[in-house]
Amino acid sequence: NERAPAPVLAREGKPTSVPKGARAELRAGAGGALWARFENEVGDVAEVELDRDRAGRWFVVRTGPEPLAPRAHGSQRRFIAMNTGTRGPLEEQAALLAELGFDGIGWDLAGLAPARSAFERRGLDVQSAYGVLDLRSVPDGDAAAAAELEARLAPLRAAMEALRGGPGMLWLALRHDSAPLRSPAGDADALRALRSLLEDARRTGVEIALYPHHAFWLETADDALRLCERIGDRRVGLCFNLCHFLRTSEETSAAAALLRAKPHLLAATVNGADVAGEDWVTLIRPLDEGDASLREFLAALDAVGFRGPVGLQAFGVALEPREHLARAMAAWRAAHVR
């Protein structure tokens, strides 16, 4: 069926060629089949299952995303621990997460290379690098301000380079020293920085997931969506954070917010929480505590077809990592039992 891959393949050239700015990925399927994912330079995507006929010619079996089998912990999505809930030598952290069944870890900007090495030796991924960018206005022709912006972007560029070739994302929170919280007045400065970082994302294969954070200029998922829509590139999206959503929103269920975020949703973070909580003690609890329903949150992710990673937020949780992470994995598994 030529219509499925046609929008993302060149009209001319050899069948194996990929247009400049496009990407093609192949992965083994069941039997001798292959799954192919094509993405053109403007972000259109086609996914097809390929197989050979008796003459050895490839043909399209069907279109659509590859069906995913549940992982050992019961979910099709990757479940990662954020390093807000781990500590100790890298090798010990990696061993613990592998033992408990996590798929990887969410890290920060520092020490990415050794962290990636330690976790990959255990078959785990460094799924994300969290960073905060302080935005400031850069007047046209102001070389000093432009140089200052570049200095603040440098650690983010280095992080994407360290994640090159893996499944990693840059989870990026944005502050602004002169724009009010949530105000579009800061959009121009944010777009300038993000469009610059987008070049690194294309070069390294790393995605940029905007990270809404309470009391930051980019405070809500809707603020992030406003920027994503203006950028219009699939490599820039949103990490939906349950605790920050509950802290900043009048909504008590994330379902509607996730539906709004669907076109740009790249990642999510979860934790136990009291829906009516007003501080981090009540809004970031162990995953098996609080009245926020994990099963309902996962159902909302299912409803929007989200297949990306889910991170376990643990900022401020006082439990020892082994106890906290083991309880979290047990709660995660239980939530996937039908």
Side-chain angles (χ1 to χ4, degrees):
N1 182 350
E2 294 180 353
R3 289 176 296 176
V8 294
L9 296 178
R11 292 184 177 275
E12 299 178 355
K14 297 178 181 179
T16 55
S17 67
V18 179
K20 184 178 180 181
R23 296 193 302 179
E25 301 172 6
L26 291 174
R27 55 189 179 273
L34 287 175
W35 282 89
R37 182 182 188 277
F38 305 101
E39 179 179 352
N40 70 5
E41 63 276 11
V42 296
D44 298 321
V45 172
E47 293 192 63
V48 295
E49 182 182 10
L50 305 171
D51 209 343
R52 293 180 188 267
D53 62 17
R54 291 185 177 180
R57 297 169 297 196
W58 289 99
F59 66 97
V60 174
V61 178
R62 66 184 183 90
T63 63
E66 179 183 2
L68 297 177
R71 296 169 182 269
H73 50 61
S75 175
Q76 294 180 339
R77 290 178 285 266
R78 285 159 285 168
F79 186 36
I80 66 170
M82 296 169 66
N83 69 344
T84 51
T86 63
R87 56 179 179 268
L90 288 175
E91 292 293 343
E92 292 181 9
Q93 293 185 47
L96 177 60
L97 295 189
E99 174 191 336
L100 295 177
F102 285 88
D103 298 300
I105 194 162
W107 205 252
D108 49 38
L109 300 183
L112 268 172
R116 183 175 177 184
S117 178
F119 284 96
E120 287 184 350
R121 281 197 294 271
R122 294 282 182 170
L124 307 177
D125 291 313
V126 173
Q127 182 65 60
S128 63
Y130 170 77
V132 179
L133 176 62
D134 290 305
L135 296 167
R136 297 187 183 116
S137 298
V138 180
D140 291 339
D142 190 332
E148 184 184 8
L149 172 62
E150 182 55 39
R152 283 181 273 121
L153 293 178
L156 304 174
R157 298 191 198 279
M160 287 192 280
E161 187 63 38
L163 293 173
R164 176 196 284 268
M169 298 178 186
L170 181 65
W171 288 1
L172 184 60
L174 298 176
R175 292 189 293 221
H176 201 300
D177 66 344
S178 57
L181 299 186
R182 309 188 188 183
S183 170
D187 284 9
D189 300 322
L191 292 170
R192 179 186 295 108
L194 289 171
R195 285 170 177 150
S196 179
L197 291 173
L198 183 55
E199 296 305 313
D200 296 83
R202 290 170 175 152
R203 178 173 51 80
T204 61
V206 174
E207 296 164 306
I208 301 172
L210 298 176
Y211 193 99
H213 192 295
H214 169 67
F216 283 20
W217 171 74
L218 188 82
E219 189 172 35
T220 71
D222 290 324
D223 298 326
L225 292 176
R226 185 178 72 240
L227 295 177
C228 291
E229 289 165 1
R230 292 190 62 181
I231 291 173
D233 191 294
R234 293 181 65 256
R235 292 171 184 79
V236 178
L238 162 71
C239 178
F240 186 91
N241 308 302
L242 179 63
C243 62
H244 292 286
F245 165 77
L246 293 173
R247 186 80 184 258
T248 59
S249 176
E250 296 297 323
E251 300 174 82
T252 57
S253 169
L258 287 169
L259 184 60
R260 295 193 297 272
K262 177 180 178 179
H264 304 286
L265 190 60
L266 294 178
T269 68
V270 71
N271 51 266
D274 296 330
V275 172
E278 297 181 349
D279 56 22
W280 295 133
V281 174
T282 52
L283 290 173
I284 304 178
R285 301 182 61 181
L287 195 55
D288 56 359
E289 294 183 5
D291 57 9
S293 171
L294 175 59
R295 191 181 292 270
E296 289 180 8
F297 184 71
L298 295 174
L301 293 178
D302 289 338
V304 299
F306 175 68
R307 290 167 47 183
V310 177
L312 175 68
Q313 176 60 267
F315 177 81
V317 174
L319 297 174
E320 287 297 313
R322 174 172 287 278
E323 179 185 355
H324 173 241
L325 294 170
R327 284 172 52 179
M329 181 56 75
W332 178 266
R333 290 175 183 268
H336 289 85
V337 176
R338 303 299 182 185

